[in-house]
Amino acid sequence: QRCIRGSSIPISVGAAVERRVREPDIPFGYGLLAVFAVPISMFILPYIIFDLIPFLWAERPLKKGDYAKTRHRVSQLLRYLVKKSHAEELQTIVLYYQGDFGQAESDWRKLLKQSLNNVTDITLRRLESLGWALLSQERYDKAAAIFFAILEIKPHWNGAFMGLSEIYLMQDIEPQRAEFLAEQAANRSPRFFERDRRGMFWATYAW
């Protein structure tokens, strides 16, 4: 068997070593990541492209108080998107901010019917919004019932604590209890939580 010049190492072994240096093995972890990355991206990318980005685009003027522009963008989403639930939610939020609490209540009830069979955070968010629509119409008993129902399902839901605190404050009863509930809402919200909601929690606590 022929050997590498000046050594006793066979040429075949030297060639194999050289080939391994030139073409290193792919670590097992990278291969496993590649296997899972493809199917995961197939689910995530459509969500980002067809759901998240359009929603953020439509929501942007709402944060500036431009309700007309928000409604226009939402109407475009409702026309072209297959999945319309987020756009419908945004449309209802605009109605609430404009003070049309009765129509907002009606729309939240319709949206709730779509998700009652499988209670998720989306369901609880819609239920909380319905509670705020009722609270804004001074229907405090029904609003409180909704907020308490949310806490039975998810005991750490910040918005439910906030809603109950507002009910006590609006009726000028049990200020200590209202303060406790507002503090619970503020302290239970993580630092990366939406800044406007977190600010509202602390503002109510100060009230």
Side-chain angles (χ1 to χ4, degrees), residues 55 74 78 83-96 103-130 133:
F55 180 78
V74 168
L78 291 172
K83 186 178 179 182
K84 301 179 179 180
S85 58
H86 281 177
E88 290 171 341
E89 283 190 16
L90 188 56
Q91 186 179 49
T92 309
I93 290 170
V94 172
L95 287 170
Y96 178 82
Q103 187 59 51
E105 175 197 347
S106 176
D107 287 359
W108 283 124
R109 291 188 186 278
K110 291 176 184 176
L111 287 167
L112 271 168
K113 290 179 181 179
Q114 301 173 11
S115 56
L116 281 178
N117 293 331
N118 181 27
V119 177
T120 63
D121 283 359
I122 293 174
T123 311
L124 296 179
R125 187 179 68 230
R126 292 173 178 176
L127 197 58
E128 180 196 336
S129 298
L130 174 60

Side-chain angles (χ1 to χ4, degrees), residues 61-202:
L62 177 63
K63 294 184 177 181
K64 299 178 181 179
D66 192 340
Y67 302 130
K69 193 171 185 178
T70 306
R71 285 200 311 272
H72 174 68
R73 291 188 176 187
V74 168
S75 66
Q76 289 181 304
L77 294 185
L78 291 172
R79 182 180 301 175
Y80 297 112
L81 287 182
V82 176
K83 186 178 179 182
K84 301 179 179 180
S85 58
H86 281 177
E88 290 171 341
E89 283 190 16
L90 188 56
Q91 186 179 49
T92 309
I93 290 170
V94 172
L95 287 170
Y96 178 82
Y97 284 158
Q98 287 185 304
D100 193 349
F101 305 125
Q103 187 59 51
E105 175 197 347
S106 176
D107 287 359
W108 283 124
R109 291 188 186 278
K110 291 176 184 176
L111 287 167
L112 271 168
K113 290 179 181 179
Q114 301 173 11
S115 56
L116 281 178
N117 293 331
N118 181 27
V119 177
T120 63
D121 283 359
I122 293 174
T123 311
L124 296 179
R125 187 179 68 230
R126 292 173 178 176
L127 197 58
E128 180 196 336
S129 298
L130 174 60
W132 284 103
L134 291 167
L135 188 157
S136 299
Q137 297 174 73
E138 300 184 4
R139 293 157 66 186
Y140 300 122
D141 290 344
K142 290 188 176 182
I146 285 177
F147 293 134
F148 279 122
I150 292 172
L151 291 174
E152 286 183 9
I153 298 170
K154 201 160 188 175
H156 304 296
W157 193 267
N158 304 317
F161 284 111
M162 191 71 255
L164 290 170
S165 176
E166 289 267 1
I167 288 172
Y168 288 120
L169 287 171
M170 294 296 287
Q171 296 181 93
D172 197 23
I173 57 174
E174 299 191 49
Q176 292 84 5
R177 186 167 178 78
E179 177 186 350
F180 170 76
L181 290 166
E183 186 178 19
Q184 291 297 307
N187 287 333
R188 291 172 187 269
S189 59
R191 291 184 178 179
F192 55 83
F193 197 67
E194 296 176 3
R195 286 181 296 176
D196 53 345
R197 297 224 340 146
R198 189 172 168 80
M200 183 181 71
F201 293 163
W202 283 114

